[in-house]
């Protein structure tokens, strides 16, 4: 059993004055304070771009030593955009197996320290380096192609797809940790500068820095925030060109299927999923069977995933689009946000009475997927 | 942004600076031989070493007994010359000083800067209050080591830190200088009739104005970038020249240039009666704005030397 007993978040922003270490420190101390623990046995660090940008290897030692943890056990996890969830999975395995009783998971990444061309070049490394990344049209380019394909195959218009970013921004307004806290209309999404038509700037995640941390313990505590019931994952092809159906995130379908097998009864009242681009969010809703294939955009426009809608509330934090996407940290933000919802303590849009929730990460357009199920305690 | 001004094939920052200087001297009515300092603020000098200030000083007849220097601080170089001139004139070291801000701004083809980088110049004769069209009540400068925008020795085009040029650079320095000035002089935004800020685009000045508590009406007259682009050292100063073309005696003007690297100045000026008699002695800024030929990108590329021609 693995329980989340504390969380700490840094607001996602362009923190020009804060280094990777400083951000990780802030999130970690907030999590440790929130959990009221004095010491931890293990630190699991999630980051992706830091290796390339600092540049730094053995990130776990780098972060641990800067926090004054001498002698602590450590490991760093890099799994692209899903590093955060992979780190949470690692922490859960450590406590479930008895190798640790108290684990600090901290995810951190900075995207504002380098010119944007360099950030996007580094992110293109999410694709297969031999066959894809070299020719890559970039994450945005692929998302643009898939968005166009989705519109043609399912006869969905551009305007219907613009409700997603509008919903994300509307949700983020209440979230003090979100990067973008201003409302936008679907019309504004269509008018925004094109990135890779039909995708516009307002369909893409913003470049921001962030850090999030959680404390995971093996022993049940009266004041635990939530239980991490299960984390599952799957790899897909690291190239959209190879997939049987590019409009299906097969790795997420498999990961979610595995998760459902493991868990007896799932109450999914809240979902924090990986909308790196509008189309990614839409396809994930379909992979999670929250909407029929080709119908997710319509369902979003209809309000199905908003507070009071028929489905679970999706991305009350504002998601990757508006809360932000500090790559390696994102998965930890998502798990922390779901835990806060389950404990009734989320400082933004609250999902009242939430009993269970999912956190979902997808690398690129499905190179690999991770999904975690958390449930409320007590 | 509607249009941007492009220097002709036979123009550069020195020729534009000279034209602006002659207009300033015409209005001032001073004998150029009484000009004791010429400051040329630019980031697009035709010579990295060989001052354009002496070319202009000679051309207007201020040489040889004059100070002359080219200044560098991105878009606020000329403004530093203005502050220095206030001191030179007030201390009686010189009778009059001539300050020119002039640039033929360049941007890497395809870079977002290309939309706004333009050509233009403004010049001011600074002298004793008596007979001046406007008098400085006070001035302030706020600088830090902030690398938001730079051009390395030998590099043709500048590079910039994208979002980093906003809050940590433009906004924090302009706000710093203006707040210091208003505090020193005991003034508030509503005490000013006009506010002119460095204008790299049409949006930043409106936003900084809002942060400082100014109303957009106060900024309108001095906001020229949407019509002529960002003339770098000319930016806030052409805005000031335009305001002086229309301002009434007794009105108060705030002008705050900004330069990357980074720093901002803030000045408070009160307009005098002399402005009405002097403004008609040279073409107005609007005359220059309206006197134009619209050219295509290919002609622009030719004029600005973007097309590499291999000479046989």
């Amino acid at each position: 059993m693995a329980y989340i007993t504390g969380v700490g978040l840094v607001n996602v922003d362009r923190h020009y004055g804060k280094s990777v270490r400083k951000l990780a420190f802030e999130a970690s101390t907030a999590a440790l304070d929130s959990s009221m623990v004095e010491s931890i046995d293990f630190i699991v660090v999630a980051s992706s771009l830091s290796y390339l940008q600092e540049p730094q290897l053995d990130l776990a030692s780098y972060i641990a030593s800067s926090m004054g943890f001498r002698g602590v056990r450590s490991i760093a996890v890099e799994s692209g955009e899903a590093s955060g969830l992979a780190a949470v999975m690692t922490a859960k395995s450590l406590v479930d197996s008895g190798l640790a009783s108290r684990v600090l998971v901290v995810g951190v990444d900075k995207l504002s320290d380098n010119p944007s061309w360099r950030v996007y070049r580094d992110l293109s490394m999410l694709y297969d380096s031999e066959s894809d990344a070299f020719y890559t049209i970039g994450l945005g380019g692929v998302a643009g192609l898939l968005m166009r394909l989705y519109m043609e195959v399912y006869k969905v218009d551009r305007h219907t797809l613009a409700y997603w970013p509008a919903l994300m921004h509307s949700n983020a307004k209440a979230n003090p940790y979100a990067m973008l806290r201003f409302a936008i209309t679907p019309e504004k999404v269509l008018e925004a500068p094109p990135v890779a038509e039909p995708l516009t700037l307002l369909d893409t995640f913003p470049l921001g820095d962030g850090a999030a941390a959680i404390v995971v313990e093996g022993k049940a505590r009266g004041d635990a925030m939530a239980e991490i019931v299960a984390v599952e994952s799957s790899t897909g092809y690291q190239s959209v060109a190879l997939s049987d159906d590019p409009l299906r995130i097969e790795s997420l379908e498999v990961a979610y299927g595995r998760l459902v097998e493991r868990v007896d009864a799932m109450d999914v009242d809240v979902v924090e999923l990986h909308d790196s681009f509008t189309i990614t969010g839409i396809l994930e809703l379909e992979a999670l069977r929250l909407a029929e294939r080709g119908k997710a955009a319509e369902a979003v426009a209809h309000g199905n995933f908003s507070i009071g809608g028929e489905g679970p509330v999706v991305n009350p934090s504002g998601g990757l689009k508006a809360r932000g996407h500090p790559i390696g940290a994102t998965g930890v933000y998502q798990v922390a946000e779901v835990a806060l919802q389950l404990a009734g303590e989320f400082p933004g849009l609250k999902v009242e009475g939430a009993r269970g929730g999912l956190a979902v990460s997808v690398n690129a357009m499905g190179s690999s997927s991770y999904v975690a199920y958390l449930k409320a305690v007590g | 942004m509607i249009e941007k001004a492009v220097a002709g094939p036979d123009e550069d920052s020195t020729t534009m600076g000279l034209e602006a200087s002659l207009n300033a001297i015409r209005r001032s009515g001073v004998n150029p031989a009484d000009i004791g300092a010429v400051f040329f603020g630019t980031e697009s000098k035709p010579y990295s070493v060989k001052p354009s200030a002496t070319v202009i000083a000679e051309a207007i007849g201020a040489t040889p007994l004059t100070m002359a220097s080219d200044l560098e601080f991105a878009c606020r170089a000329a403004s530093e010359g203005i502050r220095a001139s206030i001191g030179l004139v007030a201390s009686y070291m010189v009778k009059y000083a001539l300050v020119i801000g002039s640039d033929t701004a360049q941007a890497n083809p395809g870079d977002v800067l290309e939309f706004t980088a333009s050509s233009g110049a403004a010049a001011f004769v600074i002298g004793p209050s008596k007979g001046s069209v406007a008098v400085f009540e006070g001035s302030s400068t706020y600088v830090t080591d902030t690398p938001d925008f730079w051009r390395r020795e030998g590099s043709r085009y500048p590079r910039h830190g994208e979002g980093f040029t906003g809050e940590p650079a433009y906004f924090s320095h302009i706000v710093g200088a203006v707040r210091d000035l208003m505090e020193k002089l005991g003034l508030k935004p509503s005490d000013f009739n006009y506010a002119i800020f460095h204008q790299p685009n049409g949006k930043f000045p409106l936003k900084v104005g809002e942060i400082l508590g100014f109303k957009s009406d106060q900024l309108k007259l001095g906001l020229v970038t949407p019509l002529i682009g960002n003339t770098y050292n000319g930016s806030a100063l052409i805005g000031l020249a335009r305001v002086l073309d229309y301002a009434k005696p007794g009105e108060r003007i705030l002008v705050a240039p900004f330069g990357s690297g980074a720093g901002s100045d803030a000045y408070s000026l009160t307009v005098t009666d002399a402005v009405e008699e002097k403004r008609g002695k040279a073409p107005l800024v609007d005359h220059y704005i309206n006197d134009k030929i619209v050219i295509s990108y290919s002609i622009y590329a030719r004029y600005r030397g973007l097309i590499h021609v291999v000479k046989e």
Side-chain angles (χ1 to χ4, degrees):
Chain A
M1 304 286 230
Y3 299 91
I4 297 175
T5 57
V7 307
L9 303 176
V10 172
N11 64 310
V12 183
D13 202 351
R14 292 173 181 165
H15 290 286
Y16 293 120
K18 293 183 183 174
S19 61
V20 163
R21 289 211 270 214
K22 185 136 204 259
L23 292 167
F25 182 80
E26 272 184 31
S28 300
T29 39
L32 292 169
D33 283 347
S34 135
S35 150
M36 294 192 287
V37 296
E38 304 241 310
S39 67
I40 47 155
D41 327 309
F42 233 112
I43 177 171
V44 180
V45 174
S47 187
S48 209
L49 296 179
S50 301
Y51 299 97
L52 303 165
Q53 291 182 352
E54 293 288 282
Q56 181 70 48
L57 294 179
D58 189 14
L59 212 63
S61 303
Y62 184 68
I63 301 291
S65 72
S66 74
M67 298 206 299
F69 286 133
R70 190 174 173 188
V72 76
R73 301 168 184 80
S74 68
I75 192 168
V77 173
E78 194 289 311
S79 296
E81 297 179 79
S83 300
L85 272 194
V88 171
M89 181 187 73
T90 305
K92 177 170 162 62
S93 334
L94 289 169
V95 301
D96 283 354
S97 62
L99 283 177
S101 53
R102 209 180 276 142
V103 182
L104 170 71
V105 181
V106 53
V108 59
D109 254 319
K110 281 180 70 76
L111 279 73
S112 72
D113 267 3
N114 282 280
S116 56
W117 66 262
R118 204 185 138 183
V119 177
Y120 290 124
R121 184 204 68 188
D122 289 352
L123 287 173
S124 71
M125 296 181 196
L126 288 167
Y127 286 111
D128 182 319
S129 58
E130 285 190 328
S131 61
D132 243 50
F134 185 81
Y135 304 102
T136 192
I137 52 176
L139 296 179
V142 174
L145 281 180
L146 291 182
M147 187 180 231
R148 187 194 298 276
L149 188 63
Y150 186 93
M151 287 166 63
E152 285 178 10
V153 167
Y154 298 121
K155 311 280 182 282
V156 175
D157 66 47
R158 179 62 263 232
H159 191 265
T160 308
L161 282 158
Y163 281 91
W164 176 266
L167 175 64
M168 292 300 101
H169 275 244
S170 165
N171 290 355
K173 274 192 85 169
N175 180 2
Y177 298 109
M179 182 168 179
L180 302 179
R181 299 183 62 192
F182 54 90
I184 55 174
T185 58
E187 290 69 37
K188 273 265 174 300
V189 178
L190 269 53
E191 288 162 23
V195 163
E197 286 181 349
L199 204 81
T200 73
L201 185 66
L202 290 177
D203 288 304
T204 72
F205 68 93
L207 300 184
D209 311 335
I214 62 172
V215 176
V216 179
E217 299 194 55
K219 267 223 292 265
R221 253 170 66 167
D223 60 347
M225 295 171 70
E227 184 192 338
I228 306 173
V229 178
V231 185
E232 265 295 357
S233 62
S234 176
T235 44
Y237 285 120
Q238 208 179 18
S239 163
V240 171
L242 296 172
S243 62
D244 294 323
D245 180 352
L247 293 179
R248 286 175 70 164
I249 305 180
E250 193 189 284
S251 63
L252 180 56
E253 290 179 10
V254 172
Y256 188 57
R258 289 174 178 165
L259 186 80
V260 168
E261 289 279 293
R262 276 185 184 273
V263 184
D264 284 331
M266 275 177 65
D267 283 317
V268 179
D269 300 312
V270 58
V271 180
E272 287 287 346
L273 55 71
H274 191 97
D275 59 319
S276 42
F277 301 91
T278 297
I279 190 66
T280 336
I282 297 297
L283 294 178
E284 286 170 30
L285 287 168
E286 294 176 7
L288 295 170
R289 296 177 242 147
L290 291 174
E292 276 175 50
R293 302 199 55 213
K295 299 275 191 241
E298 217 178 277
V300 170
H302 219 243
N304 285 18
F305 307 110
S306 309
I307 301 256
E310 16 174 294
V313 178
V314 177
N315 289 6
S317 67
L320 274 59
K321 174 65 191 78
R323 173 251 285 122
H325 182 28
I327 313 292
T330 300
V332 186
Y333 273 93
Q334 292 170 322
V335 169
E337 285 154 0
V338 173
L340 284 164
Q341 291 287 2
L342 298 174
E345 290 168 21
F346 186 67
L349 211 61
K350 277 193 171 59
V351 181
E352 300 291 350
R355 301 296 308 157
L358 297 176
V360 179
S361 280
V362 174
N363 264 308
M365 292 306 305
S367 309
S368 60
S369 295
Y370 290 72
V371 53
Y373 174 64
L374 280 68
K375 80 174 193 219
V377 292
Chain B
M1 280 300 304
I2 301 167
E3 292 177 343
K4 72 171 193 178
V6 182
D10 58 350
E11 297 188 276
D12 64 21
S13 57
T14 312
T15 64
M16 294 190 302
L18 175 60
E19 185 167 346
S21 298
L22 291 172
N23 286 334
I25 290 168
R26 276 179 198 116
R27 283 205 174 95
S28 70
V30 309
N31 179 351
D34 291 336
I35 291 175
V38 177
F39 290 113
F40 186 76
T42 184
E43 52 185 289
S44 51
K45 279 149 67 80
Y47 289 88
S48 303
V49 181
K50 168 67 187 86
S52 297
T54 56
V55 176
I56 291 173
E58 185 96 28
I60 62 172
T63 53
L65 294 173
T66 181
M67 293 167 64
S69 188
D70 287 1
L71 301 176
E72 189 284 308
F73 197 130
C75 304
R76 71 166 283 274
S79 180
E80 183 103 348
I82 293 176
R83 272 210 95 194
S85 297
I86 295 171
L88 287 169
V89 167
S91 63
Y92 297 101
M93 259 186 92
V94 307
K95 188 141 186 239
Y96 297 102
L98 172 67
V99 180
I100 307 129
S102 177
D103 265 305
T104 51
Q106 293 288 57
N108 206 357
D111 185 287
V112 62
L113 280 180
E114 222 190 352
F115 281 107
T116 50
S118 70
S119 310
F124 298 87
V125 174
I126 308 215
S129 310
K130 186 150 172 255
S132 292
V133 302
V135 177
F136 289 102
E137 289 184 303
S139 59
S140 188
T141 299
Y142 185 100
V143 303
T144 68
D145 178 14
T146 300
D148 56 306
F149 179 104
W150 63 93
R151 184 165 63 86
R152 200 70 164 95
E153 165 90 55
S155 173
R156 230 184 135 179
Y157 304 109
R159 295 174 60 192
H160 55 90
E162 296 170 304
F164 191 69
T165 62
E167 206 283 310
Y170 180 91
F171 293 98
S172 85
H173 292 79
I174 290 183
V175 168
V178 173
R179 284 193 178 148
D180 181 64
L181 179 78
M182 293 204 291
E183 199 185 299
K184 287 206 283 227
L185 299 179
L187 293 172
K188 47 193 190 308
S190 55
D191 292 325
F192 293 88
N193 298 88
Y194 307 98
I196 308 151
F197 300 104
H198 175 59
Q199 12 195 299
N201 53 55
K203 283 196 190 147
F204 272 21
L206 295 175
K207 189 167 173 204
V208 79
E210 199 185 340
I211 291 170
L212 288 165
F214 289 90
K215 305 224 165 8
S216 61
D217 278 345
Q218 291 168 290
L219 275 63
K220 265 176 99 173
L221 191 56
L223 190 59
V224 292
T225 290
L227 302 169
I228 62 174
N230 179 9
T231 52
Y232 286 33
N233 271 284
S235 189
L237 298 181
I238 292 179
L240 173 60
R242 187 162 191 250
V243 168
L244 288 171
D245 284 345
Y246 295 101
K248 302 194 202 34
E251 291 191 312
R252 183 184 270 116
I253 303 170
L254 170 78
V255 57
F258 163 82
S260 289
S264 182
D265 308 284
Y267 306 89
S268 178
L269 287 153
T270 46
V271 182
T272 71
D273 294 331
V275 77
E276 300 193 309
E277 174 238 321
K278 292 191 170 187
R279 75 175 33 130
K281 296 189 171 187
L284 302 182
V285 172
D286 282 348
H287 162 88
Y288 281 100
I289 291 178
N290 295 319
D291 180 17
K292 66 189 177 192
I293 307 168
V294 176
I295 57 174
S296 65
Y297 187 84
S298 44
I299 300 290
Y300 158 83
R302 190 84 201 274
Y303 282 3
R304 300 309 310 140
L306 303 180
I307 301 176
H308 178 60
V309 177
V310 177
K311 299 257 188 272
E312 295 298 305

